[in-house]
Amino acid sequence: MNYQPDNVFQGILLKKTIFRETSLICDILTPQAGKIKILAKGVRNPKNSCYGTLQVLAELEFVTHRNKSSEWHILKTADLKQTFEADNLETTVMLQAGAELFSQMVIPELEAGNYFRLLKNYLDYSQKVSKNSIALFWRLLLRVFELNGIAPDFKHCLVCGKESSIMGGYHLIKQGFICPQCEQQALPQMIEYLSAESRILLCELPAIGNNLQNRNISQDSASQLTRVFITHLNLHFNDHFNLKSLKLLPY
Ligand SMILES: [Zn+2]
């Protein structure tokens, strides 16, 4: 037999690429098998039963078959369970940045379930907030850092090791936060100095999701902390991540 039996998956679509006249190639995160690549033949033809279903961040239940000798899954059917959208620019960008982050990330098959739940929680939560959704993206990045063993310490200085109630800047060579005292002695070129607001946000970050509606995050701080976290990510992953959607933010 050339084909393996049909596979039934649930998944979230991370990326789609146009292929030939009417087809798509899709990267989908599944809790069972990690990220898989599927060829969806003819789905850009309006008469196809899956027409319009395969959108980025669509949550799907789908069936594929696969030639034993190929890595590729061929899509047979797909049912749309849910889509995740937003009515404001910031949340829209955050959703797309989440999809880009997961599509560019290496996800070990053994941890696929953890990554799937992380993304699903992020998407579910995004539907509940209408303000400051950038902070949800920071929390998502922190969870990704934890899963990869690169979570920055927000309570202890990376240089002197002392506990500090408020952190100074981000040290680009040591790749972590340092206390205000050590910050004064470090070479300025090695530090991203944080604004007073960014420092407070950093302290509150682990629990910030509880109070998003009642606060104002300035554009300067939103921009600065996003830059620091993406820098932290790329310092550990060799500049691997390029989240283009973040460029659509007004700051
Ligand atoms: Zn220190």
Side-chain angles (χ1 to χ4, degrees):
M1 193 174 78
N2 234 352
Y3 281 99
Q4 291 186 327
D6 289 351
N7 299 293
V8 183
F9 292 105
Q10 64 178 131
I12 296 169
L13 199 153
L14 299 176
K15 184 183 172 192
K16 60 177 187 174
T17 312
I18 286 174
F19 183 68
R20 300 216 172 124
E21 257 180 68
T22 58
S23 301
L24 287 174
I25 294 167
C26 300
D27 294 341
I28 303 183
L29 176 63
T30 73
Q32 305 99 327
K35 271 197 285 188
I36 59 174
K37 213 175 251 307
I38 64 165
L39 174 59
K41 288 181 184 164
V43 291
R44 288 163 55 233
N45 178 341
K47 289 180 184 152
N48 189 288
S49 65
C50 290
Y51 181 80
T53 304
L54 301 177
Q55 301 300 331
V56 170
L57 293 180
E59 190 182 349
L60 304 163
E61 206 164 86
F62 61 101
V63 178
T64 68
H65 60 216
R66 182 158 67 136
N67 189 310
K68 269 182 179 164
S69 60
S70 166
E71 280 298 295
W72 287 69
H73 290 258
I74 314 289
L75 184 71
K76 284 182 82 175
T77 60
D79 287 320
L80 183 64
K81 285 175 70 184
Q82 199 177 350
T83 53
F84 295 93
E85 285 162 9
D87 55 9
N88 66 82
L89 176 69
E90 187 175 83
T91 310
T92 303
V93 170
M94 289 310 113
L95 286 170
Q96 293 302 311
E100 281 186 308
L101 176 69
F102 276 67
S103 105
Q104 293 172 26
M105 194 156 50
V106 174
I107 296 179
E109 201 175 315
L110 277 174
E111 290 180 46
N114 284 339
Y115 279 91
F116 182 86
R117 278 188 294 278
L118 177 59
L119 181 60
K120 177 81 168 91
N121 284 341
Y122 175 65
L123 300 178
D124 285 339
Y125 213 90
S126 75
Q127 308 295 290
K128 295 177 192 159
V129 298
S130 54
K131 216 179 141 191
N132 299 321
S133 44
I134 187 80
L136 294 184
F137 185 62
W138 297 339
R139 281 205 323 183
L140 178 71
L141 285 169
L142 293 190
R143 290 288 296 125
V144 168
F145 295 160
E146 283 165 16
L147 284 169
N148 284 281
I150 59 166
D153 192 333
F154 297 139
K155 291 204 166 74
H156 300 86
C157 169
L158 198 64
V159 172
C160 68
K162 285 184 193 151
E163 193 169 336
S164 179
S165 58
I166 197 127
M167 279 296 166
Y170 181 84
H171 197 298
L172 295 163
I173 304 294
K174 298 186 184 295
Q175 302 174 5
F177 296 96
I178 61 175
C179 71
Q181 287 76 30
C182 290
E183 184 182 46
Q184 285 172 13
Q185 291 154 25
L187 281 175
Q189 296 88 339
M190 292 185 183
I191 309 293
E192 163 110 23
Y193 294 94
L194 298 183
S195 68
E197 187 194 4
S198 292
R199 286 168 200 232
I200 292 167
L201 283 167
L202 209 56
C203 290
E204 296 176 347
L205 199 49
I208 204 169
N210 307 330
N211 195 25
L212 281 183
Q213 291 299 121
N214 301 321
R215 65 179 309 146
N216 286 305
I217 298 176
S218 74
Q219 294 202 342
D220 281 351
S221 292
S223 160
Q224 179 169 55
L225 284 182
T226 304
R227 183 169 64 247
V228 166
F229 291 139
I230 297 292
T231 299
H232 184 73
L233 184 70
N234 271 328
L235 283 171
H236 280 94
F237 289 99
N238 222 355
D239 283 338
H240 171 76
F241 290 90
N242 180 14
L243 308 184
K244 292 182 194 148
S245 50
L246 291 176
K247 294 184 182 134
L248 296 171
L249 288 173
Y251 42 84

